[in-house]
Amino acid sequence: MRTFVLRARAAPTDSHKLLAAIGQEAHPEILAHTLMNAIFVAQSHRADVVVYLVLESTPDYSRTIRVEANALTDIGGFDERRLLAVVAKALDASIGMGKEESRPVAPGITVRTVSFERLVQELAEDHPLFVMDRKGAPIREQAFDGSPCFLLTDHIPMPKKTFHSLERLGAKKITLGPTMLFASQCVVLIHHELDGR
């Protein structure tokens, strides 16, 4: 099982604001691109992949949308518009939820009111954690045992205090090279590296 967590610090948790922000400063389209590259391959989708999208621009609680490839049914396509519609549907399903509640949205899709920090603490119990960092170990030199979990962010870098918290959870820093890439590009390169092993 491969797990990807995208921390979207600028993404609104209100579905109307999210869709209105496409192409604007918040760049919610990164959610769709990351989802597409993590789960879909030509004429199919990857087995054994889970993606968590953590949307943090909110007046109350972060929204964490979990997408499990093995349980997904037809979502009507994988273009940006359709994938953002899936995210918007999950956000609408989360209206009225209290802290750390969970609701099913569709087969393979769940929404929770849980923070990035709390989610990563949970994932650390069953997954070795890897966070993208230009100063990390080259991915080709890194061993990946068990079910690795890769932590990514949108165009807003992770705060320094987050890196300290992740280190306490055993997260290892890895790099894909000297160039800063989009999260969706990182996902493709991570899949490529692990597929070749």
Side-chain angles (χ1 to χ4, degrees):
M1 183 73 71
R2 294 177 197 169
T3 301
F4 297 92
V5 179
L6 174 62
R7 184 179 194 179
R9 299 182 66 202
T13 58
D14 175 282
S15 66
H16 300 292
K17 289 180 181 176
L18 179 93
L19 297 175
I22 295 169
Q24 305 296 318
E25 223 173 272
H27 296 295
E29 57 273 11
I30 199 167
L31 300 167
H33 300 164
T34 302
L35 201 52
M36 180 177 74
N37 288 330
I39 291 184
F40 295 99
V41 291
Q43 301 179 354
S44 187
H45 64 266
R46 286 180 173 272
D48 302 328
V49 173
V50 176
V51 179
Y52 293 89
L53 304 174
V54 185
L55 291 74
E56 294 189 335
S57 182
T58 179
D60 52 17
Y61 312 112
S62 296
R63 300 300 194 276
T64 295
I65 301 166
R66 181 182 192 271
V67 181
E68 182 183 354
N70 291 354
L72 269 186
T73 55
D74 184 17
I75 58 173
F78 58 87
D79 58 278
E80 185 177 287
R81 185 173 51 90
R82 304 264 182 174
L83 293 174
L84 285 173
V86 168
V87 174
K89 180 179 178 182
L91 294 177
D92 288 342
S94 75
I95 293 172
M97 289 172 64
K99 188 176 181 182
E100 297 193 8
E101 288 187 18
S102 177
R103 282 188 187 156
V105 177
I109 303 170
T110 310
V111 63
R112 293 177 66 197
T113 44
V114 65
S115 68
F116 173 81
E117 291 81 6
R118 182 75 188 109
L119 173 69
V120 172
Q121 285 173 0
E122 293 173 6
L123 291 170
E125 295 174 15
D126 301 314
H127 304 271
L129 301 177
F130 298 93
V131 61
M132 299 295 108
D133 188 308
R134 281 188 291 186
K135 296 176 183 173
I139 191 169
R140 292 204 170 121
E141 298 172 9
Q142 179 64 56
F144 295 101
D145 299 318
S147 300
C149 176
F150 300 93
L151 308 174
L152 308 154
T153 188
D154 61 7
H155 58 288
I156 302 174
M158 295 255 194
K160 285 186 178 169
K161 66 178 185 178
T162 298
F163 280 108
H164 297 308
S165 301
L166 294 175
E167 283 176 15
R168 284 194 295 274
L169 292 171
K172 294 179 181 166
K173 294 179 181 179
I174 58 170
T175 183
L176 295 165
T179 305
M180 186 74 82
L181 302 171
F182 291 128
S184 57
Q185 295 169 326
C186 293
V187 167
V188 172
L189 293 174
I190 291 166
H191 273 319
H192 175 71
E193 178 64 29
L194 296 187
D195 287 349
R197 296 190 179 194

